[in-house]
Amino acid sequence: MDNDLSYSMSYRRWKGEVDIFKLNGPSSIFNEAEEEKIARWLSEMAQRGMGLRMVEFLDFVESVVKKEKRKTPFKDGRPGKTWYYAFMRRNAHIISSRIETPLELKRSKLTKEKTDLLWICGSTVLETFS
């Protein structure tokens, strides 16, 4: 076949023995709406310069699963790399993978108050040279 679908798979779906859109494997731990919400949050964090590494994201998912006491197929309630890459693939329309560029420690701890203070100090320095 040209599309690499087995005859038996196509036949079982045609006969109605299996739902047309059913996929093999365990069901997702989050429903579609929850996954989309998590994906949008992950994308927003990345756009703000605070993107999560894979390990940090898996830690987040593990904490959500344990907090809500969901049953999962994960070992010790923690998803692995396979789940992470499947999540990214399922939500590729929202999340784009890119090379991580960590913020400098000073930039990541910068607050509005510190920025205002820096601006005032910079302004006074410029005034002394004027």
Side-chain angles (χ1 to χ4, degrees):
M1 280 187 180
D2 293 339
N3 55 7
D4 294 330
L5 292 175
S6 69
Y7 173 78
S8 62
M9 185 180 104
S10 301
Y11 182 76
R12 287 183 16 230
R13 281 167 170 69
W14 179 73
K15 289 287 278 184
E17 296 172 7
V18 178
D19 184 27
I20 293 173
F21 300 107
K22 175 107 171 82
L23 300 175
N24 292 335
S27 60
S28 179
I29 58 168
F30 299 112
N31 61 37
E32 287 182 33
E34 290 172 329
E35 275 209 2
E36 185 173 329
K37 193 173 184 179
I38 292 170
R40 289 197 188 285
W41 173 78
L42 192 61
S43 177
E44 185 178 325
M45 292 295 286
Q47 288 172 355
R48 292 180 180 199
M50 298 179 282
L52 300 176
R53 291 179 289 151
M54 179 175 66
V55 175
E56 294 168 333
F57 180 63
L58 294 178
D59 289 342
F60 168 74
V61 172
E62 179 184 14
S63 68
V64 169
V65 167
K66 286 185 178 179
K67 183 179 177 184
E68 295 185 357
K69 297 177 182 164
R70 294 186 185 212
K71 290 190 177 185
T72 65
F74 308 140
K75 183 177 181 182
D76 298 327
R78 181 179 175 79
K81 288 181 181 180
T82 306
W83 182 88
Y84 172 78
Y85 290 120
F87 175 84
M88 296 298 277
R89 195 171 44 255
R90 284 191 304 269
N91 296 288
H93 61 285
I94 300 172
I95 306 169
S96 60
S97 295
R98 53 183 207 180
I99 298 172
E100 176 186 336
T101 308
L103 291 174
E104 298 168 355
L105 186 59
K106 289 180 182 179
R107 279 184 59 203
S108 66
K109 292 186 176 182
L110 198 60
T111 63
K112 183 181 182 326
E113 291 79 22
K114 289 180 182 177
T115 306
D116 291 342
L117 183 62
L118 183 64
W119 180 258
I120 292 168
C121 291
S123 298
T124 56
V125 169
L126 289 176
E127 288 175 2
T128 57
F129 287 112
S130 300

